[in-house]
Every structure is written in structure tokens, then in C-alpha cells.
Amino acid sequence: MAIIRTLTLILMGCFIFTAHAWVDTDFDGVPDKKDACNDTPANSVVMANGCIDTELLIVDEDAEDDSAFDAELGATVTNNAALIAEQCRQQRDLSVAVDCFGSILQPVYFDFDKSKVLLTQRPTLVRVQQYIEQHPEVVIRLEGHTDSIGSDAVNQALSLKRAATIKNLLVNEYQFQPTSIGIVGMSNKNPVADNATVEGRQRNRRVEFIISAE
């Protein structure tokens, strides 16, 4: 009985620890223990650290006068990229649609030294899939990037692996044609933020989608 009691206590402890580890207060897919912004609005697309990339927020200062945007997007600053993406998909002119979608599509972000795609990044892949269903003639170039930590050889390999991981997901889970997707590793050569800060390095660990018409 003592052994059974001990095992029961161990199992209960493991369960409690696991449950605590995966508490997600704002339901963005990032557990609180890893979430640097644990109060993001519902349905926000966040980076690997749980924060919204403020560089990609849509600024709509003339929403009431601009027929290109729905009244639903009337806030001065909004993270409603999904709504704008729907408008991009409805563009009949392919070049206009490509420019529109490319302007609001968020990169896929990664944890440090990792190429695994986090659950929080899946909405971006869904948006790409929905767009390609409307415009199957476009091609995609996936550019993998890293922060500045590590050697150039390591970062080059990691950036290429990140791009390859996204391609594999698009082909195997989202029914993309492999011939329509190219990949390239950029190492840490094209940072979009300051590598001297934690937030900057987070934004630099990414794969970008470069969409173009054939």
C-alpha cells in the first residue's frame, strides 16, 4: 500500500506540474511561463514569445473615407490582418492581390536555435493556404533568418532549415505544390530589428514569405 500511495502522489505531482506549465492566460497558444505578453487580445497572431509584432500592426488613419477597408477595421491601430487578408484574396488583379497580401502577411517566428514551428504560428500558414486557393498561379520564396548569436556557418544552416521546415509543412499539411515554393537561408544578414535586445532577436528569428506572380 505504501508503494501504491507513493506512486499515486508522484503521478499527481507530475499532473499538477504539467498543468501549471501549460497555463495560457490569454489563450494565444504560448504558455504563461514563456509568454512575455500574457494579456494579448483574443485571436491575435503573436510571435514565438507571445507578443504581437507591432511593426506589422495595420495603421488605418482614414478608415471612414477609404473604401479599400471595411468599416469593421475602423480602429486607428488594429491587428485584424485576417480581415484585410480576405480583402486581398478578393482582388481580381493578380499584381494588386500580390502586393496587398505581401504587405500584411506576418513572418513565422521561432524560438532561439529552433526550427520547430510553434502552434502560435499556424494561423499564418492557414492564411497563406487560403490565399493560394484563390490565386494558385503565384509562387512563394521562403527566406529563413536568424538572430546574430552563433557562427555564420551555424546560422546559415539554421536559417535554411527553418525555411525548409515551412516548405515541408506547406506541402505535406496544406497541399501546396513543391515546385511553387523556393527556399533560401539568409543567416543573420538581413535583421529587421536590433540584435542587441531580446525583443529584437525574437523578431529576427523568422521565415518571411515573398509572394510573386509567375
Side-chain angles (χ1 to χ4, degrees):
M1 291 295 294
I3 295 176
I4 294 175
R5 187 179 298 110
T6 300
L7 290 175
T8 301
L9 290 173
I10 291 173
L11 290 173
M12 288 180 63
C14 291
F15 174 80
I16 293 172
F17 175 80
T18 301
H20 177 74
W22 286 101
V23 171
D24 181 9
T25 303
D26 55 5
F27 301 102
D28 61 359
V30 179
D32 285 357
K33 68 174 185 176
K34 295 177 61 179
D35 198 335
C37 303
N38 60 7
D39 59 350
T40 51
N43 302 316
S44 295
V45 177
V46 299
M47 298 186 291
N49 67 348
C51 297
I52 295 171
D53 187 348
T54 55
E55 294 296 317
L56 294 174
L57 291 176
I58 307 303
V59 178
D60 184 14
E61 297 178 348
D62 302 310
E64 294 181 356
D65 300 323
D66 190 349
S67 60
F69 295 96
D70 289 334
E72 193 172 358
L73 299 178
T76 302
V77 179
T78 178
N79 189 232
N80 290 324
L83 296 176
I84 300 176
E86 177 58 30
Q87 294 176 341
C88 295
R89 285 194 293 271
Q90 300 306 318
Q91 294 287 342
R92 296 186 178 183
D93 186 307
L94 183 59
S95 62
V96 173
V98 166
D99 290 342
C100 177
F101 202 76
S103 68
I104 57 93
L105 184 61
Q106 179 167 309
V108 170
Y109 296 99
F110 295 83
D111 279 338
F112 173 68
D113 198 31
K114 303 295 184 183
S115 60
K116 179 181 178 180
V117 177
L118 301 172
L119 181 63
T120 57
Q121 306 305 298
R122 290 290 184 138
T124 296
L125 301 183
V126 172
R127 287 176 187 168
V128 175
Q129 179 192 40
Q130 292 171 343
Y131 174 73
I132 298 303
E133 286 176 349
Q134 290 291 113
H135 303 286
E137 62 270 45
V138 303
V139 295
I140 301 175
R141 172 184 165 98
L142 300 174
E143 293 187 352
H145 302 266
T146 69
D147 59 32
S148 61
I149 299 176
S151 68
D152 184 63
V154 169
N155 284 332
Q156 176 61 36
L158 178 59
S159 65
L160 185 61
K161 186 175 181 181
R162 285 172 173 167
T165 298
I166 297 298
K167 178 175 181 176
N168 288 338
L169 281 175
L170 292 176
V171 170
N172 296 324
E173 297 189 25
Y174 295 90
Q175 291 75 55
F176 279 66
Q177 294 299 318
T179 54
S180 69
I181 305 175
I183 63 172
V184 62
M186 306 297 289
S187 186
N188 59 4
K189 298 299 188 295
N190 292 325
V192 293
D194 188 354
N195 275 302
T197 68
V198 173
E199 293 79 8
R201 291 193 294 275
Q202 170 65 78
R203 289 186 57 217
N204 289 332
R205 298 193 294 266
R206 69 200 191 279
V207 166
E208 293 185 346
F209 298 83
I210 311 299
I211 300 177
S212 60
E214 286 188 332

